[in-house]
């Protein structure tokens, strides 16, 4: 790209070839109104809000689609452009139900903002006020067609960002409507509930069921943090008001996801129903009862001093907590490890980053289910397929990616994939714990052409790896057990009869077996760091304060370590 020079509102502007007038103006600090445009989406040029005057051109031009050119002279805020924008808004308000003076549905409505900026205080044209349907068949969000302005942002977001292609436009003219698949209710469609359409909607048409009427933009607090629902490590913008979680948004242009989230990152944690552990619990006379921290930690320290101990961590916590846990276990001289398995080492190829999936021309998925876990990686594979990448799935069970794959084979037929990939320029191998040794060996001839992305099940696998926590099974003997984090309960955890300490945030069958339960913060109460799938250390910032008797794991583990020296 080369530099170009143009004039915008008598301001000398330097831009890059390939940029639009809108991008050049934004870079120079000149705001041009938009409605259908969004920086994360392909340009559309439909709403006409961004029209500008360009010297030498007979008609107004849409800044979002007009390429900036060297020597161009642009006027963005003339009387003529203002009148046209106001006229566009008057036409939009003559359709459907945009009663902006009282609507606070989304709290951040771009249509409402532009109406105020352009002095709309009444309806200029007759309003048919035909009621449109409201689709509330989805659990997490609602589609209110009465507030839709047909900007198609949601359609493009579903195609360009999530690559799911659920949404589209049906009918023509005034009868045009947003539809899901072949005009089925959202709840019956192929929607994956990533919520990207919700985040890009400029009005209250797509409504977050939890945050509706929760507060206008000026009333809420935004806190940046990192998602901990899987190992990808997407950036989050968490919105709160009055110590209440309202919604979770992605952060555009952030790594590794570019703002794309999945249902687990955006919605699921806001609908938690499990009972919270908010005070230390100690087993007395066979029953868990609330206790003070001094009593609980004293009991744990006294017991661990005289016992052989095994410590196992579920890696859904901070780097600091994992390091403190490893330090405590080393001090005790016992066995330590992690519960979650690790994807096998290949012995060839080079590590890939999540973004490498997007520019691969051949993607192999082996022993992994990205659309079930680490979903953003799965969506990236869909996007790569949309751009022409070949996707091959090696699996011995059903895999959702097979629908978009060029070929799906069993592990025994992995040689078919190796042959098909032989001439590819950039191969990305996405794999997990289900990849069999024979598949690893079959793909080895691809050698250095392979960029591999190992999807470990643990949420902070690389943080655990950094402090030496390796997968380990529970010892079947009469020892003391220290279990860190939310952990699955299976037969391996039920059988030992030794003294059990569990650090967890929720009551579960596992905590019911414990002799001492130490409460931990929730994801939005944590401060610290996690290491992402790409190996990047990212910060966690507390969004809301934890309950008074809930302490950070690393603090508790440090207190225990100190008690052991007394």
């Amino acid at each position: 790209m080369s530099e170009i020079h143009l004039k915008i509102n008598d301001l000398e502007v330097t831009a890059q070839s390939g940029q639009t007038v809108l991008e050049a103006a934004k870079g120079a600090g000149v705001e041009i109104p938009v409605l259908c445009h969004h920086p994360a989406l392909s340009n559309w040029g439909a709403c006409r809000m961004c029209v500008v005057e360009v010297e030498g051109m007979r008609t107004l031009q849409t800044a979002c689609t007009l390429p900036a050119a060297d020597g161009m002279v642009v006027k963005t805020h003339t009387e003529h452009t203002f009148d046209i924008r106001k006229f566009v808004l008057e036409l939009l308000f003559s359709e459907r139900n945009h009663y902006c003076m009282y609507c606070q549905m989304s709290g951040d409505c771009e249509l409402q903002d532009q109406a105020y900026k352009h002095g709309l205080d009444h309806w200029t044209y007759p309003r048919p006020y035909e009621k449109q349907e409201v689709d509330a068949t989805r659990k997490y969000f609602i589609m209110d067609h009465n507030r839709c302005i047909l900007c198609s942002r949601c359609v493009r977001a579903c195609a360009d960002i999530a690559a799911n292609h659920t949404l589209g436009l049906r009918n023509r003219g005034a009868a045009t409507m947003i539809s899901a698949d072949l005009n089925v209710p959202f709840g019956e469609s192929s929607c994956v509930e990533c919520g990207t359409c919700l985040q890009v909607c400029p009005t209250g048409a797509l409504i977050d069921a939890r945050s509706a009427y929760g507060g206008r933009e000026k009333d809420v607090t935004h806190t940046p943090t990192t998602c901990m629902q899987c190992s990808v490590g997407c950036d989050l913008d968490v919105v709160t008001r009055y110590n209440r979680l309202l919604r979770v948004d992605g952060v555009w242009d952030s790594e590794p996801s570019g703002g794309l989230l999945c249902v687990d990152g955006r919605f699921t944690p806001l609908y938690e129903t499990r009972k919270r552990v908010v005070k230390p619990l100690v087993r007395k006379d066979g029953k868990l009862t609330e206790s003070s921290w001094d009593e609980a930690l004293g009991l744990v320290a006294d017991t661990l001093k005289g016992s052989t101990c095994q410590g196992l961590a579920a890696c859904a916590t901070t780097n600091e907590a994992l390091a403190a846990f490893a330090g405590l276990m080393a001090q005790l001289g016992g066995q330590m490890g992690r519960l979650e398995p690790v994807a096998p080492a290949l012995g060839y190829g080079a590590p890939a980053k999540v973004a490498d999936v997007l520019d691969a021309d051949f993607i192999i998925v082996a022993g992994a289910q990205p659309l079930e876990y680490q979903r953003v990686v799965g969506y990236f594979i869909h996007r790569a397929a949309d751009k022409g990448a070949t996707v091959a799935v090696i699996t011995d069970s059903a895999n959702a990616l097979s629908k978009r794959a060029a070929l799906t084979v069993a592990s025994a037929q992995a040689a078919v994939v190796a042959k098909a990939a032989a001439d590819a320029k950039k191969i990305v191998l996405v794999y997990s714990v289900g990849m069999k040794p024979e598949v690893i060996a079959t793909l080895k001839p691809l050698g250095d052409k392979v960029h591999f992305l190992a999807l470990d099940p643990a949420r902070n696998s690389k943080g655990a790896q950094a402090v030496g926590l390796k997968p380990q099974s529970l010892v079947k003997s009469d020892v003391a057990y220290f279990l860190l984090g939310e952990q699955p309960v299976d037969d391996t955890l039920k059988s030992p009869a030794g003294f059990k300490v569990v650090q967890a945030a929720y009551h579960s069958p596992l905590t019911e077996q414990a002799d001492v339960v130490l409460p931990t913060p929730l994801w939005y109460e944590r401060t610290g760091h996690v290491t992402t799938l790409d190996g990047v250390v990212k910060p966690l910032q507390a969004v809301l304060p934890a309950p008074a008797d809930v302490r950070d794991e690393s603090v508790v583990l440090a207190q225990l370590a100190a008690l052991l020296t007394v």
Side-chain angles (χ1 to χ4, degrees):
M1 291 173 49
S2 57
E3 280 191 357
I4 57 174
H5 303 274
L6 63 158
K7 187 177 287 186
I8 302 178
N9 297 344
D10 299 322
L11 179 68
E12 296 290 343
V13 174
T14 300
Q16 300 294 319
S17 60
Q19 286 188 311
T20 63
V21 169
L22 181 65
E23 290 169 334
K26 184 178 180 180
V30 178
E31 180 184 354
I32 299 176
V34 295
L35 279 178
C36 72
H37 173 79
H38 190 281
L41 303 175
S42 54
N43 294 319
W44 194 249
C47 72
R48 324 309 285 181
M49 282 297 294
C50 68
V51 290
V52 295
E53 293 183 6
V54 181
E55 189 175 280
M57 295 186 179
R58 293 174 55 190
T59 60
L60 296 177
Q61 304 291 316
T62 50
C64 71
T65 60
L66 180 65
D70 201 51
M72 184 178 279
V73 178
V74 180
K75 298 289 186 182
T76 66
H77 288 76
T78 65
E79 183 177 352
H80 186 33
T81 59
F82 182 89
D83 289 343
I84 291 297
R85 291 167 185 158
K86 185 174 182 179
F87 175 62
V88 167
L89 290 168
E90 288 171 339
L91 291 177
L92 286 173
F93 276 88
S94 71
E95 297 180 343
R96 307 199 181 188
N97 179 18
H98 303 296
Y99 203 54
C100 286
M101 288 73 75
Y102 295 97
C103 173
Q104 295 189 33
M105 179 61 76
S106 69
D108 183 21
C109 179
E110 296 174 39
L111 177 67
Q112 187 181 71
D113 292 342
Q114 291 299 335
Y116 288 139
K117 288 178 181 178
H118 288 80
L120 269 67
D121 55 8
H122 65 284
W123 287 285
T124 306
Y125 302 105
R127 304 173 65 243
Y129 203 88
E130 296 177 1
K131 289 185 178 180
Q132 305 290 345
E133 64 180 14
V134 176
D135 187 336
T137 57
R138 271 295 182 201
K139 177 179 179 179
Y140 300 118
F141 58 92
I142 298 164
M143 178 66 191
D144 185 352
H145 292 279
N146 294 283
R147 292 179 169 89
C148 179
I149 59 173
L150 298 173
C151 66
S152 84
R153 279 192 190 181
C154 58
V155 177
R156 286 174 285 148
C158 191
D160 296 354
I161 301 176
N164 204 56
H165 305 281
T166 297
L167 299 180
L169 296 169
R170 62 180 172 88
N171 302 331
R172 294 186 177 184
T176 303
M177 297 281 285
I178 299 293
S179 65
D181 294 333
L182 297 177
N183 194 29
V184 300
F186 263 66
E188 300 174 13
S189 72
S190 60
C191 172
V192 294
E193 295 185 304
C194 67
T196 311
C197 60
L198 182 76
Q199 188 171 340
V200 301
C201 179
T203 69
L206 282 161
I207 306 159
D208 186 326
R210 181 183 176 90
S211 66
Y213 298 105
R216 299 181 62 82
E217 184 60 23
K218 65 181 179 63
D219 302 321
V220 301
T221 300
H222 293 260
T223 306
T225 190
T226 304
C227 184
M228 288 193 65
Q229 305 309 312
C230 79
S231 59
V232 174
C234 302
D235 283 359
L236 301 182
D237 174 24
V238 184
V239 184
T240 57
R241 188 186 186 197
Y242 297 144
N243 275 339
R244 175 177 178 260
L245 288 173
L246 288 181
R247 69 177 185 272
V248 174
D249 287 335
V251 180
W252 304 119
D253 295 328
S254 64
E255 294 183 351
S257 70
L260 173 62
L261 299 179
C262 70
V263 64
D264 288 336
R266 190 186 299 271
F267 295 120
T268 305
L270 304 185
Y271 289 78
E272 182 60 67
T273 58
R274 288 176 292 176
K275 185 180 178 182
R276 182 84 186 269
V277 180
V278 294
K279 290 180 178 294
L281 303 174
V282 171
R283 188 170 298 279
K284 297 178 181 179
D285 299 324
K287 297 181 64 176
L288 285 174
T289 58
E290 292 184 355
S291 74
S292 68
W293 274 102
D294 288 343
E295 179 187 7
L297 293 181
L299 175 59
V300 173
D302 290 343
T303 304
L304 295 185
K305 279 180 185 179
S307 303
T308 302
C309 181
Q310 182 186 23
L312 291 173
C315 308
T317 186
T318 63
N319 292 345
E320 291 82 358
L322 292 169
F325 174 78
L328 177 66
M329 291 302 111
Q331 182 178 342
L332 287 167
Q335 298 186 48
M336 66 175 177
R338 53 191 283 188
L339 282 170
E340 301 95 338
V342 177
L346 297 182
Y348 55 86
K353 294 187 180 298
V354 172
D356 287 327
V357 173
L358 295 175
D359 57 13
D361 60 331
F362 203 105
I363 301 169
I364 303 172
V365 180
Q369 296 275 0
L371 289 176
E372 299 298 324
Y373 198 61
Q374 293 114 343
R375 287 184 172 92
V376 165
V377 176
Y379 303 155
F380 274 22
I381 293 172
H382 280 182
R383 278 164 62 174
D386 285 350
K387 294 190 296 182
T390 299
V391 178
V393 177
I394 301 173
T395 181
D396 294 321
S397 59
N399 191 307
L401 276 170
S402 294
K403 294 179 181 179
R404 300 288 291 275
L407 66 160
T408 298
V409 301
S411 296
Q413 284 79 49
V416 176
V417 174
K419 182 179 179 180
D423 295 328
K425 294 180 179 178
K426 183 175 181 178
I427 303 168
V428 172
L429 170 60
V430 179
Y431 76 103
S432 190
V433 296
M435 188 178 186
K436 295 184 176 180
E438 56 266 34
V439 176
I440 297 175
T442 302
L443 299 180
K444 187 175 181 178
L446 297 174
D448 294 340
K449 294 177 67 175
V450 173
H451 299 75
F452 61 85
L453 191 65
L455 305 183
D456 288 341
R459 299 183 189 184
N460 191 8
S461 178
K462 290 190 180 294
Q465 180 183 343
V467 297
L469 294 177
K470 298 179 180 180
Q472 190 176 103
S473 298
L474 208 64
V475 175
K476 301 291 184 68
S477 60
D478 189 14
V479 300
Y481 300 94
F482 197 111
L483 306 175
L484 171 67
E486 303 301 323
Q487 307 181 37
V489 178
D490 56 28
D491 291 339
T492 63
L493 295 179
K494 289 179 180 177
S495 55
F499 184 83
K500 299 187 191 70
V501 183
V502 176
Q503 271 188 290
Y506 295 106
H507 289 273
S508 69
L510 181 61
T511 61
E512 291 305 312
Q513 301 171 33
D515 296 286
V516 177
V517 180
L518 306 175
T520 65
L522 301 182
W523 65 273
Y524 56 83
E525 298 164 351
R526 294 186 187 277
T527 298
H529 297 82
V530 293
T531 306
T532 71
L533 192 60
D534 285 346
V536 178
V537 177
K538 282 190 170 184
L540 296 172
Q541 184 171 335
V543 175
L544 295 176
D549 278 327
V550 174
R551 299 179 183 177
D552 185 82
E553 296 104 315
S554 59
V555 172
V556 173
L557 292 165
Q559 290 173 329
L560 267 176
L563 288 172
L564 290 171
T565 62
V566 176

